[in-house]
Amino acid sequence: MDIKESKPKAELKPGLRGSDDKHDGTITFGRRADWWIALFVTLLSGVIFTMTAARGTTFWDCGEFIACAYILGIPHPPGAALFVMLGRVFSMIPYGDTAFILALFSAWSSALAVGFSSLAIARVIRRIVGVEESVEDMIWVYAGVLVGGLSMAFGATYWFNAVEAEVYGLTLLLVALLFWLSMVWLESAKTSEGNRVLIMQIYILFLAATNHMQAFLPIIPMFMLIFLISRKRLTSPLFYIAFFLLTSVVHSTDLFLFGVPIACAATFLWAFLTTNRDTQKTLNLTGAFFLMAVMGYSLYAYVPIRSAQDPAIDENNPENWTNFKQFLERKQYSDKSMFELMFTRKGSWKNQFGTHERMGFWGHLINQWVPSPRPLYLYVPFLALFSLWAMWKSDRKIFLYSLSLLLLFTVAMTLYLNFSDGTRGVKLEVRDRDYFYTPGFVMISLLFGVGLSSLAFYLRRSTIPGGAIIARVVLILGLLVPPAAVDAHYFETDRSRFFVAEDLAYNMLVGLRENAIIFTGGDNDTFPLWYIQEVRDFRKDVQVVNLSLLNTPWYIMQLKYAENPVQMTLDDIEIENMRGYYTPEGDVVTVKDIMVPEIIRSNIDKRPIYFAVTVPSSDSKLVEGKLLQEGLVKRIDPAVEAESFDLVVMEENFLGGVYRFRGLDDPTVYKDRDTIRLLTNYNACLFNMANLYLRNGEEAKAEEFITKLKSFPHDNPAGYRMLIALAEMKRDWQQAVDYTDSAMTIEPDNQDHYIRKAEYFRRLGSYDNVEQVIEQMTAAFPNDAEVADAARILNRQIAAAKAEPAGGNAGAGDGAGAGAGDGAGADGAATPGGDGTP
């Protein structure tokens, strides 16, 4: 496929290109300045990323990735082989903590991505506006480059991913590199350098695919650009064969792994045998494409080779062909690949593309730079769209390339990921999924920079009255976006003092008896444990049993043959053939439901067995009434008559300095809603202890736990419900009012808060306040029967109380809905849930 650039059009585009610009596709102006601007945005973003980078593990996949990089393990499918291997190299740097080093690896990968993206959009802007070689033009061009690059860096999701040990920084670096190389190739396609750039892009594409498949998507715009530059490729069968075989890595693992190496050998053999020079050139280039694909993707050979050595973390056990193939196809939780699953929609298009909780694309987009409803929040997407118009008017090749990238990273990604909105029989996504849209947000940021410069040039060169002044206003507004984004997101993104995940893992393990087994529920109460065991070398005698993974035979086999094995009576064949089933009553019995009692029966006499408090009570029904809570864990104790607390251990853990609470009681350390939800388990432990002591009349001891409970975050309504319940038990109605006011700021639509608040005022004898609250709640909930009933009861009580002689008991009466201790709702279980999305 010898590529020759088609002859560029010479017509001018008034309002965008300068009057003397011939735009022959070769641009030399400002090339050195491009690199200086790229260096500046790289260093600026890198320094801020470093300042806000995590010093320990964070929640979700980070603990798993850090541990796997440290021990060369196998993380969840499809394995992120490139990140693990490079992460291992960086983890050997003898400076600082491993988690911090790998966070810096992510941070500076993200910063370099910003730099290469800036280089790319500098080329795009000049192709659109056709600048003259003047300092003024250079300023207008680089304003767009600067704004586009820094908007990319400080977008909420991009920045959030950049400061923790995740795969997305490296993924976006490779995407940015491909974007820049495509612009380089566009200007050098008719030179000998062009083919070398194409070959390099193919290698990077398939190397990137071993890290995250998002980085592979640019192959489609890349081939489209080849066709646009050399239209005779439309009739070349090799063009279609190469594209089909190379993209089969997405839809057919067998075809790719066997077809591409065969095609590579056949193509080079044909090139060797043919005597036609043009055919030989085409075959050599095509063969080079296949060879680069094999070389790049061959990094995945690490996975079965390392898995065969049975590392401590070896997800899916991909050491044989069947497991390895399923691993690449991301079949951890389903017998279908994600490509197959996308055709059964798990949510409505409105919710997937709109503002639905956790997964709506538009809802995440409008909060990326200047969060809605602040002014300017639509400025970025507006100018991004304007940039597409400018490209269409000036350079159709750039337009089609950029539009295809944008659509792939937004529309196609949303369709492929097929997130669940909770309305179609599949539970709502367990966490915010904005990180999967990061390439789309990046593309919009870069188009914003292009649009800023394009609109400014258009206004300066137009006949619009005051166009030059309007252009300056446009530019100033654009320059405000990056600092506004930093101001909006710095607090939420700063992970430099976030040790909650690591301390949760430490607290769950520190008090366990020697050689214990602990059942955990999902990612957030498992991955930090893997991290602290493997990287910190802490409590490796404890065997963690993840209940989500316990549904898979490979994981059961690993537990059976681990270095610290879990005893079982089942043989290997029984384990391999184990499946869930339906009972005659129609109930579902999963593999996990079979294995939990099997593990307990086989080990209870030999090893202490614990359940993390994050595990739902339904998973510990077998030992209901035989659990002794010792903090964030519950130990099976056959001697107890009912579930209870080890008071000595609980007090030592929470008040005696055994547990770590770094940043937990610090309001300047940001905690997102998933973190707060998980931390409700701390609140529940403290509430239960305070509740127990209050019921026993030991108010002084109860106050110690209440004081600790007050210091923890209560942004989750459950935390305030616990404090409200304790205030009710103490009959401190004013404090109950104060806590209810706080709860109402989080749940303004919960009518129960109004009812309780009115009842507390009634017990205080503050009847004017009761009437005011009744008026507020009846106005807020005019058709709610519960509110109407409560209002009638409260009005009757107020009337009766006012009719009593002075000195009557204002606190008496039947109550409108609040009674001592009835509103806690704290069972101690805030389950994080599993996350099976690759």
Side-chain angles (χ1 to χ4, degrees), residues 258-520:
F258 293 105
V260 171
I262 293 172
C264 180
T267 305
F268 279 127
L269 179 61
W270 186 5
F272 177 75
L273 295 175
T274 188
T275 57
N276 185 299
R277 188 169 179 82
D278 288 339
T279 302
Q280 191 177 57
K281 287 181 179 179
T282 300
L283 288 168
N284 281 334
L285 182 59
T286 308
F289 281 6
F290 291 139
L291 180 61
M292 291 301 102
V294 171
M295 290 177 62
Y297 206 70
S298 67
L299 191 68
Y300 258 135
Y302 153 81
V303 171
I305 293 172
R306 180 57 177 154
S307 178
Q309 300 171 26
D310 297 325
I313 302 174
D314 186 14
E315 294 216 41
N316 284 59
N317 195 35
E319 61 187 49
N320 58 54
W321 170 247
T322 301
N323 289 0
F324 180 51
K325 181 174 179 291
Q326 292 180 344
F327 185 84
L328 294 180
E329 293 173 345
R330 298 169 292 283
K331 291 183 177 180
Q332 181 169 8
Y333 294 103
S334 174
D335 59 355
K336 294 182 179 180
S337 68
M338 287 191 66
F339 184 77
E340 295 171 293
L341 290 171
M342 71 174 284
F343 294 102
T344 302
R345 305 311 298 170
K346 294 187 290 185
S348 69
W349 286 17
K350 177 183 177 182
N351 289 338
Q352 290 180 340
F353 285 95
T355 58
H356 196 72
E357 180 185 11
R358 296 192 179 277
M359 34 70 73
F361 173 78
W362 179 253
H364 290 304
L365 173 66
I366 61 175
N367 289 305
Q368 284 300 303
W369 300 279
V370 186
S372 170
R374 294 188 186 184
L376 289 181
Y377 81 95
L378 290 178
Y379 194 57
V380 175
F382 169 75
L383 283 182
L385 291 175
F386 181 85
S387 75
L388 293 175
W389 176 84
M391 292 176 190
W392 173 259
K393 299 292 288 184
S394 299
D395 193 322
R396 300 286 169 85
K397 293 185 290 294
I398 291 287
F399 166 78
L400 291 172
Y401 179 82
S402 300
L403 179 63
S404 61
L405 271 180
L406 179 64
L407 292 177
L408 282 168
F409 286 142
T410 55
V411 177
M413 187 64 67
T414 303
L415 293 173
Y416 176 71
L417 293 170
N418 192 18
F419 291 137
S420 171
D421 60 9
T423 66
R424 300 193 177 185
V426 183
K427 67 179 181 179
L428 177 68
E429 296 297 321
V430 298
R431 61 183 291 198
D432 287 337
R433 297 300 189 187
D434 58 314
Y435 56 95
F436 278 113
Y437 298 129
T438 308
F441 299 150
V442 165
M443 198 63 201
I444 293 170
S445 299
L446 301 183
L447 292 177
F448 168 52
V450 174
L452 185 70
S453 286
S454 300
L455 181 58
F457 271 97
Y458 179 82
L459 290 169
R460 288 173 63 213
R461 295 168 176 173
S462 71
T463 58
I464 297 174
I469 296 175
I470 299 173
R472 287 174 170 79
V473 173
V474 167
L475 193 66
I476 292 171
L477 290 176
L479 290 170
L480 290 175
V481 170
V486 173
D487 176 66
H489 304 308
Y490 194 98
F491 171 66
E492 296 178 1
T493 309
D494 182 11
R495 237 76 61 82
S496 61
R497 294 174 296 130
F498 183 89
F499 296 101
V500 175
E502 185 166 330
D503 286 350
L504 177 71
Y506 175 86
N507 295 342
M508 289 175 68
L509 294 178
V510 66
L512 302 189
R513 297 185 180 184
E514 187 177 357
N515 201 32
I517 295 172
I518 180 171
F519 289 104
T520 57

Side-chain angles (χ1 to χ4, degrees), residues 724 728 740 752-760 817-819 822-823:
I724 291 168
E728 287 181 3
T740 304
D752 188 56
H753 294 320
Y754 290 88
I755 297 171
R756 289 180 177 278
K757 185 177 178 181
E759 172 64 12
Y760 301 145
D822 68 348

Side-chain angles (χ1 to χ4, degrees), residues 18 66 97 185 311 508:
I66 298 170
D97 178 77
W185 180 79
M508 289 175 68

